[in-house]
């Protein structure tokens, strides 16, 4: 068995329990070697079934023949191939947009307990580290390309990361493999191409082992990030927040306890806590956190981030997905009997008990006054403050009216009018659409 095949076998054997292996196949030299190597190993070892997936961006005329080439290669190797066509947004960084479209397609088509095999190699790792260094990345970015990570229902695995491109080329020539040469790889207009064609060869001519050195740097950074994550986890246990409302399940932190940490530890904790919800802010954007933290008690500060925001309410810091930052659609619902009532883009309203008169369901408009026993009529705004209902949730709380008089507020039975004390009005908060970003390489 050749050395390259031994390295790949050692990398994939821990995943041999997976349902299936799926090669991200572009038709280029790297993924062609990976696909061919796996087919050879499968003849000698008990490995999961193998398939391939080709993502067709269609960004250049030369690419129109690539799906056919990939199909021919897979047919020859007797590997099933899925061809997925994607649209790439016309933005400033077409390279980045294509990468995002590609990973979104992988996530969508990856099956349960399937391992997506990707062909990034040692040269790609060096290129990525240098690219991120030029962008001023932190410890997390300098970990480089991860060997493995979760993706949708399965995982991503990169078994070639310790193998150089030169080793792959030698293997490809030895086995007379045929691959596609992407014409965009010979232009320096893309940053990564410039690094690959101009910068890295110059560095290697001076420091021949630079790729190994950068790989060690990535490993050191991985250890350093693990320590930072461990510290953040410990801090999170101390500052975990509580809305005080058992029906409001949103990520939150206790601001008072958070302030006890140094600014450096606050930022480390926030990076760790926010990572599942949003792209993390760059260095210049962190001033928004200090403004949010230090705002006056009666202020309603908001720190906008990608796909959501941090807000402050009653000494708690909440992460709100974009959904919560938008007003709900207009609502004019009449309830004549108990039951479950879906609210457009706003969860579900549950009514239990005897409905003796028609109830109109609407949202707060301002100026509503509730009748409270022994207190008379009171402004809803003041009552919401007394009940410690966060400001950001108030516009979505369903209100029940009888003849234009508010008689109940969902989830706050203390405000039920005496005539409907027997009714139970429950609003099931819509599940925030949070997702694990596939913005990593």
């Amino acid at each position: 068995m050749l050395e390259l095949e031994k390295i790949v076998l050692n990398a994939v054997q821990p995943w041999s329990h997976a349902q299936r292996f799926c090669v991200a196949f572009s038709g280029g030299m790297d993924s062609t070697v990976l696909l061919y190597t796996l087919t050879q190993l499968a003849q000698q070892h008990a490995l999961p079934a193998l398939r391939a997936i080709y993502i067709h961006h269609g960004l250049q005329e030369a690419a129109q023949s690539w799906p056919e080439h990939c199909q021919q290669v897979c047919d020859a190797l007797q590997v099933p191939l899925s061809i997925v066509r994607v649209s790439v947004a016309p933005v400033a960084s077409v390279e980045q947009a294509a990468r995002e479209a590609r990973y979104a397609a992988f996530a969508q088509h990856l099956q349960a307990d399937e391992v997506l095999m990707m062909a990034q190699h040692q040269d790609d790792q060096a290129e990525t580290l240098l690219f991120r260094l030029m962008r001023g990345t932190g410890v997390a970015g300098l970990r480089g390309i991860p060997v493995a990570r979760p993706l949708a229902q399965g995982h991503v695995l990169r078994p070639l990361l310790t193998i150089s491109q030169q080793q792959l080329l030698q293997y490809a020539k030895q086995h007379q493999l045929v691959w596609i040469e992407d014409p965009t790889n010979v232009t320096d207009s893309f940053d990564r191409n410039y690094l690959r064609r101009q910068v890295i060869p110059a560095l290697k001519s001076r420091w021949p082992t630079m790729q190994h050195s950068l790989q060690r740097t990535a490993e050191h950074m991985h250890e350093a990030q693990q320590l930072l994550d461990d510290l953040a986890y410990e801090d999170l246990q101390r500052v975990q927040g509580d809305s005080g409302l058992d029906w409001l399940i949103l990520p939150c932190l206790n601001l008072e306890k958070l302030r006890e940490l140094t600014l450096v530890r606050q930022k480390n904790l926030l990076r760790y806590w926010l990572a599942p919800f949003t792209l993390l802010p760059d260095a210049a954007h962190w001033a928004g956190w200090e403004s949010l933290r230090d705002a006056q008690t009666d202020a309603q500060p908001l720190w906008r981030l990608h796909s959501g925001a941090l807000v402050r309410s009653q000494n708690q810091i909440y992460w709100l997905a974009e959904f919560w930052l938008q007003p709900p659609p207009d609502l004019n619902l009449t309830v004549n009997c108990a039951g479950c009532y879906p609210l457009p883009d706003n969860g579900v309203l549950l009514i239990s008990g005897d409905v003796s008169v028609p109830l109109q369901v609407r949202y707060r408009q301002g100026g509503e006054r509730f009748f409270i026993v022994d207190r008379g009529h009171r402004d809803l705004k003041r009552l919401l403050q007394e009940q410690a209902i966060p400001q950001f949730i108030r516009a979505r709380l369903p209100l029940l009216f009888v003849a234009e008089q508010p008689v109940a507020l969902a989830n706050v039975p203390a405000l039920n009018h005496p005539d409907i004390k027997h009714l139970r009005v429950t609003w099931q908060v819509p599940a925030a659409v949070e997702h694990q970003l596939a913005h990593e390489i």
Side-chain angles (χ1 to χ4, degrees):
M1 184 185 298
L2 297 177
E3 183 63 26
L4 185 146
E5 293 174 350
K6 291 180 182 178
I7 294 173
V8 173
L9 180 62
N10 288 336
V12 304
Q13 273 188 326
W15 301 85
S16 58
H17 63 279
Q19 186 70 26
R20 188 187 300 267
F21 286 169
C22 176
V23 174
F25 187 45
S26 68
M29 189 264 287
D30 308 335
S31 62
T32 300
V33 168
L34 178 58
L35 180 64
Y36 180 83
T37 302
L38 288 171
T39 61
Q40 301 309 297
L41 292 173
Q43 296 175 17
Q44 308 165 42
H45 302 275
L47 296 178
L50 182 65
R51 74 182 184 101
I53 181 170
Y54 170 76
I55 308 299
H56 185 61
H57 306 95
L59 292 175
Q60 51 181 308
E61 185 62 32
Q64 302 311 312
S65 63
W66 295 353
E68 182 180 356
H69 168 86
C70 291
Q71 188 66 66
Q72 291 173 353
V73 171
C74 287
D75 288 346
L77 295 173
Q78 297 183 330
V79 174
L81 174 68
S82 299
I83 297 175
V84 178
R85 301 179 186 275
V86 298
S87 298
V88 177
V91 294
S93 176
V94 175
E95 193 178 17
Q96 178 64 24
R99 184 174 292 109
E100 291 176 358
R102 188 162 60 249
Y103 275 86
F106 287 145
Q108 180 181 354
H109 291 272
L110 198 61
Q111 299 172 8
D113 195 29
E114 189 172 37
V115 179
L116 181 68
M117 300 285 179
M118 306 196 76
Q120 285 97 343
H121 47 72
Q122 192 177 72
D123 295 56
D124 292 322
Q125 182 73 288
E127 174 191 311
T128 296
L129 288 169
L130 290 172
F131 179 68
R132 292 180 179 178
L133 191 62
M134 293 302 99
R135 297 173 64 186
T137 191
V139 173
L142 290 178
R143 291 177 300 175
I145 305 172
V147 174
R149 71 174 179 90
L151 178 64
Q153 303 181 81
H155 286 81
V156 170
L157 180 67
R158 299 179 173 93
L160 305 182
L161 272 185
T162 61
I163 300 172
S164 71
Q165 188 177 42
Q166 185 60 37
Q167 290 173 285
L168 295 177
L169 180 60
Q170 290 173 354
Y171 184 92
K173 289 181 176 179
Q174 180 180 352
H175 293 275
Q176 299 181 330
L177 303 182
V178 179
W179 61 88
I180 293 167
E181 293 287 1
D182 186 344
T184 63
N185 286 338
V186 298
T187 174
D188 293 340
S189 58
F190 295 119
D191 290 339
R192 288 179 177 271
N193 283 3
Y194 180 76
L195 283 171
R196 187 183 309 126
R197 289 167 46 80
Q198 303 295 335
V199 177
I200 291 178
L203 291 174
K204 288 174 71 174
S205 67
R206 178 79 182 204
W207 295 283
T209 62
M210 58 87 66
Q211 289 168 299
H212 296 283
S213 299
L214 287 174
Q215 181 64 38
R216 287 199 303 273
T217 295
E219 292 167 0
H220 295 325
M221 292 300 102
H222 182 81
E223 292 179 358
Q225 186 60 51
Q226 184 61 59
L227 290 173
L228 291 173
D229 287 347
D230 289 346
L231 177 62
Y233 178 81
E234 292 180 5
D235 287 340
L236 182 58
Q237 305 316 301
R238 290 193 291 270
V239 306
Q240 196 72 261
D242 182 3
S243 69
L245 304 168
D246 57 8
W247 50 268
L248 182 60
I249 311 299
L250 287 174
C252 64
L253 301 175
N254 184 293
L255 179 58
E256 184 177 348
K257 294 179 180 178
L258 191 55
R259 282 196 176 113
E260 295 174 0
L261 303 176
T262 64
L263 176 59
V264 172
R265 283 177 70 166
Q266 289 175 17
K267 291 165 68 174
N268 183 57
L269 169 59
L270 289 169
R271 290 189 190 99
Y272 178 82
W273 183 62
L274 289 170
F277 309 129
T278 181
L279 296 175
L280 299 179
D282 57 27
H285 202 51
W286 276 98
W289 159 244
E290 296 181 59
S291 298
L292 175 74
R293 181 196 62 196
D294 299 335
Q296 295 296 319
T297 305
D298 58 351
Q300 298 176 24
L302 178 145
W303 184 26
R304 265 283 188 178
L305 296 171
H306 184 274
S307 69
L310 287 184
V311 300
R312 216 176 82 184
S313 179
Q314 282 108 30
N315 202 40
Q316 303 292 316
I317 299 292
Y318 290 89
W319 165 256
L320 300 183
E322 190 67 35
F323 164 86
W324 291 102
L325 305 177
Q326 307 302 322
D330 291 338
L331 178 66
N332 192 3
L333 171 68
T334 299
V335 172
N336 292 301
C337 61
C340 176
Y341 296 88
L343 304 177
D345 198 26
N346 197 35
V348 173
L349 185 67
L350 302 175
I351 307 288
S352 59
D354 182 30
V355 179
S356 56
V357 295
L359 301 170
Q360 284 76 46
V361 184
R362 299 198 291 272
Y363 297 124
R364 181 184 175 212
Q365 299 298 316
E368 295 87 357
R369 291 170 62 82
F370 272 70
F371 176 77
I372 307 297
V373 175
D374 297 330
R375 295 180 62 186
H377 287 86
R378 291 290 183 266
D379 287 338
L380 178 57
K381 179 179 179 180
R382 178 62 60 85
L383 295 172
L384 289 168
Q385 292 171 346
E386 292 175 2
Q387 295 291 325
I389 305 296
Q391 181 75 29
F392 63 83
I393 207 81
R394 297 176 186 177
R396 287 185 171 271
L397 272 172
L399 280 167
L400 276 64
F401 293 79
V402 172
E404 300 303 317
Q405 170 63 41
V407 295
L409 179 65
N411 293 355
V412 189
L415 301 189
N416 276 22
H417 191 278
D419 292 343
I420 62 164
K421 281 291 185 183
H422 59 283
L423 275 188
R424 181 177 178 85
V425 183
T426 304
W427 174 48
Q428 292 186 348
V429 179
V433 183
E434 310 291 5
H435 55 276
Q436 192 72 26
L437 301 172
H439 56 268
E440 298 180 61
I441 286 185

